[in-house]
Amino acid sequence: MVPETKLYKNERITELGIERRCPMCGEWLPADDEFYAKGKNGRRLYSYCRACNIERGQKRILKLYPNCKRHNIIEPIPILR
């Protein structure tokens, strides 16, 4: 029996437990610390999965610091999915 919990529109219950859908990649992943980072308060999970969160961060850094050698990423970090 699955304990009652508040589900949001991007969540579903399966035999693996609660799964969340990442809005960027569209994949359904288990809603745990392995696939989603925790928020600042340590309770809620980010909307984006870890892989998409890294990709979003890289794009943001390149946009904010296009000519800075310190922040310029020559080769993007490979994202394992």
Side-chain angles (χ1 to χ4, degrees):
M1 181 167 190
V2 178
E4 288 192 31
T5 180
K6 182 179 178 184
L7 292 178
Y8 297 97
K9 65 180 180 179
N10 63 341
E11 292 181 339
R12 68 181 179 187
I13 297 178
T14 63
E15 61 276 351
L16 299 174
I18 298 175
E19 290 185 346
R20 297 186 82 176
R21 183 178 178 272
C22 175
M24 190 168 173
C25 65
E27 291 186 37
W28 289 93
L29 301 168
D32 58 10
D33 297 344
E34 185 178 348
F35 297 101
Y36 291 93
K38 286 191 175 183
K40 290 182 182 179
N41 64 2
R43 294 185 197 138
R44 294 193 56 178
L45 300 174
Y46 280 122
S47 298
Y48 296 94
C49 65
R50 285 187 183 268
C52 291
N53 215 6
I54 291 170
E55 188 176 332
R56 287 176 69 231
Q58 288 176 349
K59 287 179 183 177
R60 184 170 180 264
I61 287 172
L62 290 175
K63 183 178 177 183
L64 290 174
Y65 309 105
N67 299 322
C68 181
K69 291 179 182 179
R70 178 177 175 210
H71 293 100
N72 195 1
I73 302 170
I74 297 170
E75 295 180 18
I77 299 170
I79 299 172
L80 304 174
R81 291 192 185 213

